[in-house]
Structures are given as C-alpha cells and as structure tokens.
Amino acid sequence: MYRSHNCGELRATHSNETVTLAGWVQGIRDKGFMVYVDLRDRYGLTQLYFDEEQTPKEILEKAQKLGREFVIQVTGKVQERASKNPNIPTGDIEVLVSELKVLNNSKTPPFTIEDSTDGGDDLRMKYRYLDIRRNPVKNSLIFRHKVAQETRNYLSSEGFIEVETPYLIKSTPEGARDFVVPSRMNEGQFYALPQSPQTFKQLLMVGGMDKYFQIVKCFRDEDLRADRQPEFTQIDCEMAFVEQEDILNTFEGLTRHLLKEINGVDVDKFPRILYDDAMRLYGNDKPDIRFGMQFGELNEVAQHKDFNVFNSAELVVGIAVPGGNSYTRKDIDKLIDWVKRPQVGALGMVYCRCNDDGTFKSSVDKFYDQDDLAKWAEVTGAKAGDLICVLSGNTDKVRAQLSALRMELAERLGLRKPDEFAPLWVMDFPLLEWDEDTERYHAMHHPFTSPKPGQLELLDSKPGEVKANAYDLVLNGNEIGGGSIRIHDKATQAIMLKHLGFSEEEARAQFGFLMDAFEYGAPPHGGIAFGLDRLVAILGGQETIRDFIAFPKNNSGRDVMIDAPAPIDKEQLEELNLKLSL
Amino acid sequence: MYRSHNCGELRATHSNETVTLAGWVQGIRDKGFMVYVDLRDRYGLTQLYFDEEQTPKEILEKAQKLGREFVIQVTGKVQERASKNPNIPTGDIEVLVSELKVLNNSKTPPFTIEDSTDGGDDLRMKYRYLDIRRNPVKNSLIFRHKVAQETRNYLSSEGFIEVETPYLIKSTPEGARDFVVPSRMNEGQFYALPQSPQTFKQLLMVGGMDKYFQIVKCFRDEDLRADRQPEFTQIDCEMAFVEQEDILNTFEGLTRHLLKEINGVDVDKFPRILYDDAMRLYGNDKPDIRFGMQFGELNEVAQHKDFNVFNSAELVVGIAVPGGNSYTRKDIDKLIDWVKRPQVGALGMVYCRCNDDGTFKSSVDKFYDQDDLAKWAEVTGAKAGDLICVLSGNTDKVRAQLSALRMELAERLGLRKPDEFAPLWVMDFPLLEWDEDTERYHAMHHPFTSPKPGQLELLDSKPGEVKANAYDLVLNGNEIGGGSIRIHDKATQAIMLKHLGFSEEEARAQFGFLMDAFEYGAPPHGGIAFGLDRLVAILGGQETIRDFIAFPKNNSGRDVMIDAPAPIDKEQLEELNLKLSL
C-alpha cells in the first residue's frame, strides 16, 4: 500500500499520528521558508506543510520543485492547523512532511483541475482522464454507481434475476438503424448490436424466468441530436403472469426506493394521466408537473367572433403565466419573438393581461370584449396579475409550440427546481403513429406491444385510434422509462406485423423465432425499460447526461480521446470479405 | 396478478386456503374419474387435483384436454394429500381446482422439460427458451445472478466504483482478433468491440478513480475451441496506489467471500506458487491442487544409464499414481495408448510398479536395477502399491503431456471433487512468450504489464527470462482470474512496445492516448480480471460454461435460435459504404 490514510479522512483526532498519503498535487504555495501543498485524491484534499526549521532541507527543496498534478507519496505527522479551513472536512489539520517521494511527474494539464474549470467541452473530452479528476465529473460517476447498485439490490430483493442477453444478435430494420458487425466465420453475414434486449427478455418469459432485469448497453446508429449517445444504458425489466397494474406498482416501488435512498425524498403514490389528457393539458406526452400552467382550450370561447386567425385554426389554446402582467410591452414582444423562432415555429402570439382591478387588456381587443376575455381567464385558470398567452393553428403543432413556451416560462420563473421530484405515469399510448416520411403507420412503442383489450378489431378501420397497453414513467418532464404489456400469442403478433407492413416472409425471417416461441406456451407478460443515463442525470439534478457517462462520444459519434472510429488494416477487411466503396 | 402464490410455496399449513396459481402443465395423470396435473413455474411444482365428485364437469373435461406445457391459471382449495411426496417441498399438499383458465396452448415440445432431457445439444440450443424451463439451466442462470450480485456487493462495500466503459472503441491488432463495427457517420472508419476494457480502466486510474470494477461483456473474434464464446463476461478490476500484495489480498478476499456466501465453504489463506515451480511440479500454469501427484524430475537418477530414450531427452519426468500397482497389464497398455493419442502426443510411456513387498518392477528393467528404481520412487514420492508413470522428451512438450495424464488419472481416481475448492495464486509469469507463427515475442499477459523491478534491462539480452508482476488466480485447475501491475510511465511503455515489434508510429497510432495520459500524473496501478462464465461454472461444480450462459453461441459463433449472423439488406451495406467481396 502506498498510503496509510486517504486524503479525505484525517481529522484533529489524528494529531501526532504518523501517516502516509499519496495523491496528486492540487496546488502549491511557496513562501520560501515554508511551503504548503494541497494533496488530492478521490476522497478529498489534505494540506501538506514543509518549513525550513522542521523539514530536512532536501525535502523542502524537492517540495518547491513540485508541479501541479505531480503524483507524490508523503509521510509525516498530523498536526492541527494554526488557521483552520472550515470549508473542507480535513480543514482542521495539516501533515508536517518528513518524507517525500515523487511517484510520477506531470506536464502542465491543458485545463485547471477545479470544480469550475477553464477547459472547454472539446478539450475536456480529449483529456477525459484529467476531467474525471474534477469533483463534478468524479462525483457524477460515483453517483451513477450508487443508482445502479441500489437498482440491483432493490430488484434482487424483489425476486428479479439479472440475466445477460447477447450483444451479437440479428439485424431488424424496424425501429432505429442497427450497428452491424461483420462475421468472419460466416462469410457475408453480419451480427447486429442490440437496440434493446426486447426479444430476448420476452423469450426469457417464455422460458419461465418470470422476473428478469438487466442493466445493459444498447446501441442505435442514429443521427445524433444533442445529448444522445450511440451507446446508452438501459435498466431493462420484464415480468410474466402480470397485468399492467402489477408492473406499474413494481416499478413505482423501484423509483420510490431510488428517490428515497439516493435523494432522501419521500414521494407519495405517483399520479397517473392518460396520454390523451397529457396532450390536451400539457401539449406533451412527458409533462413536467412540478408546476401548473395547464393548457386551456379556447375554441368555444374564442372562435366565431370576427378574428379570422382563431376562426380558421384547428385549435386555439392558452396558458396563464403567474404574475405575467408585470411583463413590460418589451418583455412580451421578446416572448413573441421567442415563440416565432424556427425552433418553436409559431406564427405569432395573442396575449391578454389580467389586471389587478379585474379588467383585461388583450392584444386583440378589437375582437373581444371584457366578458369574452373573462372566459379566457376562466378556461386557462388565470388570476389577477397573470398574463394569458394564446397560440392557434394545427392541433399537433400548436400543442408542441405552447408546450415549449410553457417549459421556457417555467424555467425563467424558477419553477423547475432540480431538488423537487414529480413523477407521473402516462398511460394508454396510441398503438400506432403515422410516419410522414414512409407514409405508413409505425409502432409507437415497438411491434410487440399489445393493443388494449377489444381494440384489435379497430386496427383495420381506425388504426390511429387504437390504444395500447403502454405506459411511460415521466420524471420532471423527462421520460425516464417506458414499457408495455406484450403480445403473447402468434395470431395477434402476426396481425400486428401485417399492419406494420411486414410481408409474411419478412415477418418469418426477422421474428420467426419469437413467433415459434409463442406456440410453446408463452405466458402473459410485460415490462419496462429505464434509460439509466437520463435517470441518473435527473436524480442528480442535471438535464444533460454527458457527465454521468465516463467516456461519452461527441455528436458525430466520435470518441475524441482515443480517436475512434478509425480506419482498419486492409488485411482485417479482407478477412471479413469486405471492400470499402467510397 | 395472475396468482396469489407461486408453485413452490404451498405447505400443509395453507390447507383450506383458496389460492390462485399460474404456470405450465408439467404432466397429467388422467384416471377418468380423477385427474392429476403437475403445475410448474420458476419456483416449483404443485399438484392440481380434479375429480368427478368435487369438480364441475366442464372443468374436469377441460383438464382432461390439457397438454404438456399449456399455460394455465387455476383457483382452488389447498388440501393435504392422501399420499404425500417427500421428494418435493410442496409434496404434502394438492390444490382441488374449482376454476381453470387456459392462458395459452402449447405444441408438444421437441424435447422433454425434465432435469434429464431427451433433447440433444442442437435441439436444446434451437429452442433455448424451452431449455431454460428445465431446472438445471434455470438454476444455473439464477446461480450466475447470485454470484454477480455478491461480487458487486462485496466490491462496493470495499469502496470500488462500477464504471461503464464504452463498447464502441478502437481496433488494436495486438492480441486476439477484434470484432469491428463500421461507422456510417464516419465514412470508411470502424469501431472495434473491446477485447477487454484494459486501456479504459487504466485511464480511470489516471483519472483518480482509484478502485474500479465492472462486470462487462468482452469480445474476441477467435476460431472457437469447444467451450469458448465470441462474447464473454469479465469481472474487470483495477486499483491505484497499490502493490501486487494489495491486489492479491483484495481479490483473495472477494474469492473467499464468494466461496463462503455461494458455496458455504471456508477457505484458508490461498497458497501461492511461482510460475516456474508450477511448471516444474505440475507441468502446467494452472495446476489443480485438490490432489497431489506432483512431478518428480528424473534426469539425475535416470539418465546416463544405457537407456537411450531417456539419455537423449531434455526432460525425464514422472508421477506416482496412488494405488496404481493394482492396474493390470491391460490397464497400463490402455494408459499408454491414451498418452499416445494425438491430443496428448507422447511417443510412449515408461512405468514402474511399486510392489507391496518394497520391490519394483519396471518396463525398462533391462536398464535399471532395484536401487535405480528406488530413487525414482523417492523422487516421485511413490509408495508401495503405487505406479510410477514416466515420460521423456522436449521439456515443454513432456510437461504438457504428463500434466494431461495427471489430470486424466485424477479424474479416473475421483480426486477432482466438484464440491472441494482449492484456490491457488500463480505468480511471476514471464513477461514475454515466443510465438512460433510470427517468430517474435508477444506479451504473455498484455503489453501494459510491468516487468519485475530491475528486470527491464534484461529485455535486450534475455527477453524470454524477464519475469512480470503478473499473477493468475487458479481454482481447481482452471484459471479464473489473471492480472498484473501495469506500466505507468511513458518511457517504460515505449520500451515495451518497441520490444513487441511496434514501430514508433504504430505505437503512437494505437496507444498514443494512453502514452499521453501517462505524462499527466499517472499513479502506480494494477488490477485483475476474472472470467465470470468460468468462475460461475466452477463455483457451480461444473466444467462447461454453456449452461451458465442464457443464450450461448455454437462453435461457429452462431446463435441457432435466432439464426444469427445473417445477411443484411443491400441498402444497409450501401449506407455503410461497404461491398461484399465474396
């Protein structure tokens, strides 16, 4: 062992003990006749002290030559400091060094190893091993470990078995794009990396495994948006002989356990909302319910006046901004500019001030009198002092726009508190969604999701209206988990695949093994998968996942530290029977 | 919930309770007026009882139509059996069924779902989901979960942090062949799947993470020998600021914990043996020390007589087979045939009977008298009643041959007891090993292994003699873990890579990021990796790993259940800028 103690554990009670520490030089203050060195390791900082009266000369000189991030080992005596530092746990003591060994030198790091670094994102990623020395990143990784460990302990105690499913599987073009892996031993053939262990966990249910989970890497070759990674981690779960209610209760239990153990927060029974209601009240299938500002649909009270913009709209919908009447005309103009940005895409915004004296003043006073506006206030729940913001147009678009505005205003009003946790189940998702590009229906969740009982017949007549036994768990406006009750009989699965545009041959080639399995006594089953990266970030009070991943990739899917991907040898390509066609 | 209890928990104390069970029909005994059904789930078997006096007619008839592996749900009253079955935990009771629902039908399974099945390996793999319903496979998977969970709990309690390292990394031709993953977004470039997270865990040490572990999938595109898988699982561990002794103690602690918690076995401090001694005494770097039969080197006592076979041999070496003098001439001839099989490859075998009266009778009496043979007995530790088996030839070959014979004889003698556990550290492995094919030295462990202090200079003069700070943990004759102290400075790493035949450019291209990291304050560090598949199999008292893997691949790297790998769409290839060159 290179140390008797770590750099976070010495206290005044250790005074006069001889200790050995090892770590990194965080900083040096050299006053000539005395030298202070802050020594850092994973556990904290300890002040080292050298002076010309008590320290052997060659050691003092050696100390004076240390640089930032040098790795050293010291032995010395713990003593109480003259001036204590109440800001760190070891602030009462210092170590008077009698032996000093440089274990390794360091070049000057390209950015400061401080909680607030001067390093930009690109530099931090290139030298991620230095970035990880910083508390915010180090603590995020330790936090992630704790969440994973608590998850495993909870699910194990509930009788779940973690089963490792394979990574080298088969490409299934449905869903996102697969990463593929050429097989050398099977010429011209490819494995695919799993987008999720979906079919395998279902086969485990057919195999009687009953309660399965796995914390597992998944892969999607998508064009990366900000904060998406080509490889990501799921808490993947499945249960047999259960109904939707059992799954909701079980994983509400897991989430409540994590909130309690990790965040020290007790949460009551999670509220539930239907997908249709979530869209109507929040314009969004993952509403943040830490705050109100529910949508009020104004068609009845705002249409059929002379205001053509509203009259021609499919939906007129508003929200009440608490205290928004204090906004100046300039503030409101800026808000209108904000909703007109291409990222939001509204054509304009109507507003109505709710004055303290109970009167209203809207931007469309020409068309609406006080009685009309009083109805707006009633529908949106606006009180005196609030501002009503109203958008109109195509239902789907206007809901998305108003949802964006709602989130933006809540952020500005400080209503999205990182230490407040508001989980919510969103239920009864549509089974299918229309895809504009391919002009056909896709599975909203995945092709194995079961329609709600009795709705299978609707698939032919009104496919868009069929609801699924599918649910999402939303936390603070983020989807942290999603799942469904699965189809467990071959006939229903065949109907489903047919409606998704699979020919019988295609269905057979891609999912034959699952359809076969359903013929040998498949039990009713369902499950859920949590996105661990996002779950951890949200529990940690953050919105971006990158610092909760040890070695993330950038938006081009590159690891800039190791410089991957990279060209490979010609011999490697030949062995795989491949040629580049650039 | 489809059930109030599972099929393993009902006892006589539950009598008269109304319960609901769900599971699979294991078997039916239909006596016309009464029907017995064995219902199975993950937790056990429960006998269901129907009779014409107590069961509604339509339910009795339904029961008579059930088939094996049908999935059913029943409600009924628990009652004590007339004739109890002491062989199963639920053997005291049965459930008199009042409601029966068929949840799913089943075709007749292609093999019996019994502990001893009539299904061959190929069939079992194709229908693995049915195979998993069998107790031996199901219990192996649950056992694996327990081992992984205990490992995580132990290491977490010791301050280790599980950090997920990336799967999409960079190809490094050193070592085994990589599986590669074409990158669509980075034309003509490839990721590689990790053969181990080696460099990443070292970077975590540079990053100050101090105590890391991860249970992680690794990938090797090797021509598969029996019982090897292209994807396998490691318990991967690394520590900083430690010496070899610290690592040995820490992971001896883990292994002892597993033996205690999983197997209920207390093991004393693990013995240690030097690599050179292991080779000399057992002909093997992973000796099974559950039994003796150590090698005796006979050069001194057997050479320089007139027996040319021995005189011309580099090594003459023997073992004493306990009680082997009882073998008939025919037995011994068979043994000689066994060592001459191509898999072993000996040219012949000399033997010497140790008679009860203290005399000897050897197959080479022409050359050796009783005094000579007494010395053979002394060197091999043979006692009256034993048989001395002697092989000779090239040292490496003859050691491997005699080691094979030793293991075979121990197996036949029942000395390899699956419930006995004999761990052993093998220390001081050579740094390099000569590769016949490429005619150069390769890293025996990997290129990051540190030579023993002071031996770096030997690299030029006697590379084959340099020993490494490398160690294996052996359990019952299987390597379950291996590791080393790593190089942590750029200069030594550069020397090492040069000796492994890397040009400076190649070293830079492949390991530049690691060499760079070593310049920013890399701490001394080292680690170990356990092969989880094998560890679990051995703790489970088995020698083959396949049933401890949920969905294994066959010797061609195929998953015969999902039929992967498989051809992919032309469009997929085009997107990846690839062409097949078949």
Side-chain angles (χ1 to χ4, degrees):
Chain A
M1 269 292 178
Y2 281 77
R3 57 190 172 196
S4 62
H5 296 75
N6 66 49
C7 293
E9 69 178 311
L10 294 175
R11 301 287 182 273
T13 51
H14 294 92
S15 292
N16 293 315
E17 279 184 36
T18 297
V19 298
T20 300
L21 302 179
W24 287 265
V25 173
Q26 174 75 27
I28 305 175
R29 274 158 296 144
D30 181 358
K31 310 199 178 240
F33 59 100
M34 40 185 213
V35 175
Y36 294 95
V37 171
D38 279 338
L39 188 69
R40 187 196 66 238
D41 66 10
R42 178 180 135 192
Y43 310 91
L45 274 183
T46 298
Q47 178 169 296
L48 308 179
Y49 178 63
F50 308 75
D51 80 17
E52 60 183 5
E53 286 181 14
Q54 303 178 80
T55 310
K57 189 159 177 254
E58 76 278 11
I59 289 181
L60 182 67
E61 284 172 358
K62 220 193 229 181
Q64 288 170 320
K65 286 185 200 135
L66 292 174
R68 280 204 289 133
E69 300 307 315
F70 275 42
V71 186
I72 62 172
Q73 182 188 37
V74 295
T75 298
K77 201 185 272 187
V78 181
Q79 59 188 27
E80 283 200 53
R81 289 201 208 178
S83 65
K84 298 186 166 143
N85 177 354
N87 298 321
I88 61 170
T90 62
D92 286 355
I93 59 94
E94 62 194 5
V95 174
L96 175 65
V97 175
S98 51
E99 290 173 48
L100 166 64
K101 191 173 173 188
V102 175
L103 299 175
N104 216 339
N105 296 327
S106 176
K107 297 207 288 194
T108 303
F111 51 83
T112 55
I113 312 294
E114 306 275 359
D115 290 5
S116 250
T117 182
D118 57 358
D121 268 2
D122 291 349
L123 210 53
R124 286 176 49 208
M125 289 305 140
K126 182 162 167 55
Y127 297 92
R128 185 63 161 178
Y129 43 87
L130 298 179
D131 201 28
I132 290 172
R133 288 188 196 156
R134 297 172 51 241
N135 286 321
V137 182
K138 179 195 74 184
N139 291 339
S140 296
L141 296 179
I142 294 175
F143 186 83
R144 182 187 180 108
H145 164 69
K146 282 188 191 147
V147 173
Q149 191 64 11
E150 282 298 336
T151 300
R152 287 193 160 99
N153 287 341
Y154 181 84
L155 291 176
S156 297
S157 75
E158 294 285 314
F160 283 78
I161 303 297
E162 184 161 20
V163 179
E164 295 177 53
T165 52
Y167 278 82
L168 297 173
I169 65 165
K170 189 167 168 171
S171 189
T172 53
E174 176 72 9
R177 219 180 267 107
D178 286 318
F179 282 106
V180 297
V181 182
S183 166
R184 182 181 52 86
M185 289 207 281
N186 301 273
E187 280 188 17
Q189 301 192 8
F190 293 75
Y191 303 100
L193 299 178
Q195 296 185 30
S196 91
Q198 182 62 35
T199 50
F200 287 96
K201 69 176 173 176
Q202 292 191 242
L203 291 174
L204 286 171
M205 294 306 108
V206 178
M209 204 41 92
D210 202 275
K211 289 180 175 180
Y212 145 93
F213 84 103
Q214 187 182 190
I215 299 187
V216 61
K217 273 280 175 80
C218 301
F219 304 85
R220 277 181 205 173
D221 185 12
E222 285 175 337
D223 297 315
L224 300 172
R225 287 177 281 164
D227 220 29
R228 280 259 189 150
Q229 292 281 321
E231 51 177 305
F232 55 96
T233 307
Q234 271 185 200
I235 306 170
D236 192 50
C237 310
E238 197 81 1
M239 302 173 79
F241 298 117
V242 291
E243 281 141 0
Q244 177 168 297
E245 190 63 29
D246 305 309
I247 296 182
L248 299 188
N249 288 333
T250 301
F251 294 98
E252 188 164 320
L254 168 64
T255 311
R256 198 180 284 119
H257 175 83
L258 292 177
L259 286 166
K260 175 79 185 158
E261 294 300 319
I262 302 287
N263 298 87
V265 174
D266 281 303
V267 182
D268 282 343
K269 190 144 182 59
F270 295 1
R272 299 179 182 186
I273 192 172
L274 296 181
Y275 170 87
D276 286 347
D277 292 336
M279 296 307 290
R280 186 171 52 79
L281 293 171
Y282 302 97
N284 198 310
D285 62 1
K286 44 183 185 193
D288 189 341
I289 58 164
R290 279 175 295 183
F291 56 97
M293 295 171 70
Q294 288 187 351
F295 290 11
E297 299 197 345
L298 299 167
N299 288 30
E300 273 185 39
V301 298
Q303 287 183 331
H304 313 299
K305 304 281 163 176
D306 288 336
F307 187 44
N308 264 331
V309 174
F310 282 3
N311 288 348
S312 64
E314 191 183 0
L315 179 67
V316 182
V317 61
I319 51 173
V321 184
N325 192 27
S326 64
Y327 291 5
T328 63
R329 178 62 207 253
K330 212 170 151 190
D331 291 338
I332 295 177
D333 283 345
K334 274 195 197 158
L335 215 52
I336 294 174
D337 287 344
W338 191 90
V339 298
K340 287 164 85 173
R341 299 183 323 151
Q343 298 94 319
V344 183
L347 295 173
M349 184 181 92
V350 166
Y351 66 89
C352 173
R353 293 177 175 280
C354 305
N355 295 320
D356 287 336
D357 63 5
T359 62
F360 303 96
K361 173 84 189 95
S362 84
S363 58
V364 285
D365 277 351
K366 201 159 62 164
F367 304 106
Y368 300 93
D369 61 23
Q370 291 289 311
D371 283 351
D372 293 329
L373 298 175
K375 283 180 195 153
W376 292 19
E378 196 189 324
V379 172
T380 59
K383 292 184 211 60
D386 291 355
L387 178 78
I388 305 173
C389 299
V390 182
L391 302 180
S392 63
N394 164 282
T395 300
D396 290 348
K397 284 186 185 160
V398 80
R399 280 177 170 170
Q401 292 157 4
L402 193 63
S403 172
L405 179 63
R406 175 177 176 269
M407 294 297 270
E408 173 69 16
L409 287 168
E411 191 71 50
R412 293 187 193 180
L413 292 166
L415 301 174
R416 306 195 65 202
K417 298 181 187 139
D419 57 346
E420 196 178 310
F421 294 96
L424 172 72
W425 285 110
V426 181
M427 325 265 302
D428 293 5
F429 272 76
L431 184 68
L432 305 172
E433 65 182 340
W434 183 256
D435 184 71
E436 298 281 350
D437 292 342
T438 54
E439 297 200 316
R440 64 177 181 86
Y441 281 101
H442 282 254
M444 191 153 184
H445 191 51
H446 54 52
F448 316 110
T449 298
S450 159
K452 282 203 115 35
Q455 298 210 344
L456 193 61
E457 294 65 30
L458 277 177
L459 266 180
D460 281 317
S461 51
K462 299 174 181 169
E465 288 182 20
V466 179
K467 292 289 192 285
N469 272 322
Y471 33 82
D472 274 1
L473 182 53
V474 172
L475 184 58
N476 295 0
N478 295 278
E479 181 208 326
I480 57 165
S484 64
I485 297 296
R486 326 299 184 187
I487 296 165
H488 68 282
D489 70 283
K490 187 174 179 172
T492 308
Q493 189 64 66
I495 292 172
M496 186 68 189
L497 289 174
K498 198 186 100 196
H499 276 87
L500 293 170
F502 285 79
S503 72
E504 259 184 62
E505 295 70 41
E506 286 166 344
R508 175 87 226 144
Q510 282 178 41
F511 303 112
F513 61 96
L514 188 66
M515 314 269 275
D516 286 349
F518 286 169
E519 291 195 299
Y520 288 101
H525 61 285
I528 194 167
F530 292 81
L532 181 65
D533 306 294
R534 184 149 312 279
L535 174 63
V536 169
I538 294 166
L539 293 178
Q542 311 260 336
E543 294 260 311
T544 59
I545 63 175
R546 205 170 277 192
D547 277 350
F548 292 86
I549 299 171
F551 300 101
K553 295 192 170 55
N554 72 11
N555 284 349
S556 315
R558 291 199 74 79
D559 182 328
V560 296
M561 179 185 71
I562 63 169
D563 196 23
I568 58 172
D569 287 356
K570 218 171 142 231
E571 294 75 34
Q572 264 178 299
L573 271 178
E574 277 167 12
E575 273 195 324
L576 297 169
N577 301 298
L578 288 178
K579 272 194 289 208
L580 297 180
S581 63
L582 294 178
Chain B
M1 272 292 178
Y2 280 78
R3 57 191 173 195
S4 62
H5 296 74
N6 66 49
C7 293
E9 68 179 311
L10 294 175
R11 301 288 182 274
T13 51
H14 293 92
S15 292
N16 291 317
E17 280 184 35
T18 297
V19 298
T20 301
L21 302 178
W24 287 265
V25 172
Q26 174 74 27
I28 305 174
R29 275 157 296 146
D30 180 359
K31 311 200 177 238
F33 59 100
M34 41 184 212
V35 175
Y36 295 94
V37 171
D38 279 337
L39 188 68
R40 186 193 69 237
D41 67 10
R42 179 180 135 192
Y43 310 91
L45 274 183
T46 297
Q47 179 169 296
L48 309 179
Y49 178 64
F50 308 75
D51 81 16
E52 61 184 5
E53 287 180 12
Q54 301 178 79
T55 310
K57 191 163 178 248
E58 76 277 12
I59 291 182
L60 182 67
E61 283 172 0
K62 221 194 226 178
Q64 287 169 321
K65 284 182 201 138
L66 292 173
R68 279 205 289 135
E69 300 307 315
F70 274 43
V71 186
I72 63 172
Q73 182 188 37
V74 296
T75 297
K77 202 186 272 185
V78 182
Q79 59 188 27
E80 284 200 52
R81 289 200 209 177
S83 65
K84 295 183 172 147
N85 177 353
N87 298 320
I88 61 170
T90 61
D92 285 356
I93 59 92
E94 63 194 4
V95 174
L96 175 65
V97 175
S98 51
E99 289 173 48
L100 164 64
K101 190 173 172 185
V102 175
L103 299 175
N104 217 339
N105 296 327
S106 175
K107 296 206 290 195
T108 303
F111 49 84
T112 54
I113 313 295
E114 305 275 359
D115 291 5
S116 252
T117 181
D118 57 358
D121 269 2
D122 292 348
L123 210 52
R124 286 177 49 210
M125 290 304 141
K126 182 162 167 55
Y127 297 92
R128 185 64 162 178
Y129 44 87
L130 297 179
D131 202 26
I132 290 171
R133 288 187 197 158
R134 295 172 52 240
N135 286 320
V137 181
K138 178 195 73 183
N139 291 338
S140 295
L141 296 179
I142 295 174
F143 186 83
R144 182 186 181 110
H145 165 69
K146 282 188 190 147
V147 173
Q149 190 65 11
E150 281 299 336
T151 300
R152 287 192 161 100
N153 287 341
Y154 182 84
L155 291 176
S156 297
S157 74
E158 294 285 314
F160 283 79
I161 304 296
E162 184 161 19
V163 180
E164 294 177 54
T165 52
Y167 279 80
L168 296 173
I169 64 166
K170 189 166 165 171
S171 189
T172 54
E174 176 72 8
R177 216 181 269 105
D178 286 318
F179 282 105
V180 296
V181 182
S183 166
R184 183 181 52 86
M185 289 207 281
N186 301 272
E187 280 189 14
Q189 301 191 9
F190 294 75
Y191 302 99
L193 299 178
Q195 296 185 32
S196 90
Q198 182 62 34
T199 51
F200 287 96
K201 70 176 172 177
Q202 292 192 242
L203 292 174
L204 286 171
M205 295 304 107
V206 178
M209 205 39 93
D210 202 276
K211 289 180 175 180
Y212 145 92
F213 82 102
Q214 189 182 189
I215 299 186
V216 60
K217 272 281 174 79
C218 300
F219 304 86
R220 278 181 206 173
D221 185 12
E222 286 175 335
D223 296 315
L224 299 173
R225 286 177 281 164
D227 221 27
R228 280 259 189 151
Q229 292 281 321
E231 50 178 306
F232 54 97
T233 306
Q234 273 186 198
I235 306 170
D236 193 50
C237 310
E238 197 82 1
M239 303 172 78
F241 298 116
V242 292
E243 282 141 0
Q244 177 168 297
E245 189 64 27
D246 305 310
I247 296 181
L248 300 188
N249 288 333
T250 301
F251 294 98
E252 189 164 320
L254 168 64
T255 311
R256 198 180 284 118
H257 175 83
L258 292 177
L259 286 166
K260 176 77 185 159
E261 294 300 318
I262 302 288
N263 297 87
V265 173
D266 281 301
V267 181
D268 281 344
K269 190 146 180 57
F270 294 2
R272 298 178 182 186
I273 192 171
L274 296 180
Y275 170 87
D276 286 347
D277 292 336
M279 295 308 290
R280 187 172 50 81
L281 293 171
Y282 301 98
N284 199 309
D285 62 1
K286 46 183 183 191
D288 189 339
I289 57 165
R290 280 175 294 183
F291 57 97
M293 295 171 71
Q294 289 188 349
F295 288 13
E297 298 197 345
L298 299 168
N299 288 29
E300 272 186 38
V301 298
Q303 287 183 330
H304 313 300
K305 303 283 163 174
D306 289 336
F307 188 44
N308 264 331
V309 173
F310 282 3
N311 289 347
S312 61
E314 190 181 0
L315 179 67
V316 182
V317 60
I319 50 173
V321 184
N325 192 26
S326 65
Y327 291 5
T328 63
R329 177 64 208 253
K330 211 170 151 188
D331 291 338
I332 295 177
D333 282 345
K334 274 195 196 158
L335 216 50
I336 294 173
D337 287 344
W338 191 89
V339 298
K340 288 164 86 173
R341 298 185 323 151
Q343 298 94 317
V344 183
L347 294 173
M349 183 181 93
V350 167
Y351 64 90
C352 173
R353 295 178 174 279
C354 306
N355 295 322
D356 288 336
D357 62 5
T359 63
F360 301 98
K361 174 84 189 95
S362 84
S363 57
V364 284
D365 278 351
K366 199 155 63 160
F367 304 106
Y368 300 94
D369 62 23
Q370 292 290 311
D371 283 350
D372 294 328
L373 299 175
K375 284 181 195 152
W376 293 20
E378 198 189 323
V379 172
T380 59
K383 292 184 213 57
D386 291 355
L387 178 77
I388 305 173
C389 298
V390 182
L391 301 181
S392 63
N394 163 282
T395 300
D396 290 349
K397 284 187 184 159
V398 79
R399 279 177 170 170
Q401 291 157 4
L402 193 62
S403 172
L405 179 62
R406 175 177 175 270
M407 294 296 271
E408 173 68 18
L409 287 168
E411 191 71 50
R412 292 187 194 177
L413 291 165
L415 302 174
R416 307 195 65 201
K417 295 177 190 144
D419 56 348
E420 195 179 311
F421 294 97
L424 172 71
W425 286 110
V426 181
M427 325 264 304
D428 292 4
F429 271 76
L431 184 67
L432 304 172
E433 65 181 341
W434 183 255
D435 185 70
E436 298 281 350
D437 292 342
T438 55
E439 295 200 319
R440 64 177 181 85
Y441 280 101
H442 282 255
M444 190 150 182
H445 191 52
H446 53 53
F448 316 109
T449 299
S450 161
K452 281 206 121 21
Q455 298 210 344
L456 193 61
E457 296 65 30
L458 277 177
L459 267 181
D460 282 318
S461 52
K462 297 173 181 168
E465 287 183 19
V466 180
K467 291 290 192 285
N469 272 323
Y471 34 81
D472 274 0
L473 183 53
V474 172
L475 184 57
N476 294 1
N478 294 278
E479 180 209 326
I480 57 164
S484 65
I485 298 296
R486 325 300 184 186
I487 296 166
H488 68 282
D489 69 283
K490 186 174 180 171
T492 308
Q493 189 65 66
I495 292 172
M496 186 68 190
L497 289 174
K498 198 185 100 197
H499 276 89
L500 293 172
F502 285 80
S503 74
E504 260 183 62
E505 293 71 41
E506 285 166 344
R508 174 88 228 143
Q510 281 178 41
F511 302 113
F513 60 96
L514 189 65
M515 314 269 275
D516 287 349
F518 285 169
E519 292 195 299
Y520 288 101
H525 61 284
I528 194 167
F530 292 81
L532 181 65
D533 306 295
R534 185 150 313 279
L535 174 63
V536 169
I538 293 166
L539 293 178
Q542 311 260 335
E543 295 260 309
T544 58
I545 62 176
R546 203 169 278 191
D547 277 350
F548 292 86
I549 298 171
F551 299 101
K553 294 192 171 52
N554 73 11
N555 284 349
S556 316
R558 292 199 73 80
D559 181 328
V560 295
M561 179 185 71
I562 64 169
D563 196 23
I568 59 173
D569 287 356
K570 219 172 143 231
E571 294 74 36
Q572 262 178 301
L573 271 178
E574 277 167 12
E575 273 196 323
L576 297 169
N577 301 297
L578 288 178
K579 272 194 289 209
L580 296 181
S581 63
L582 294 179

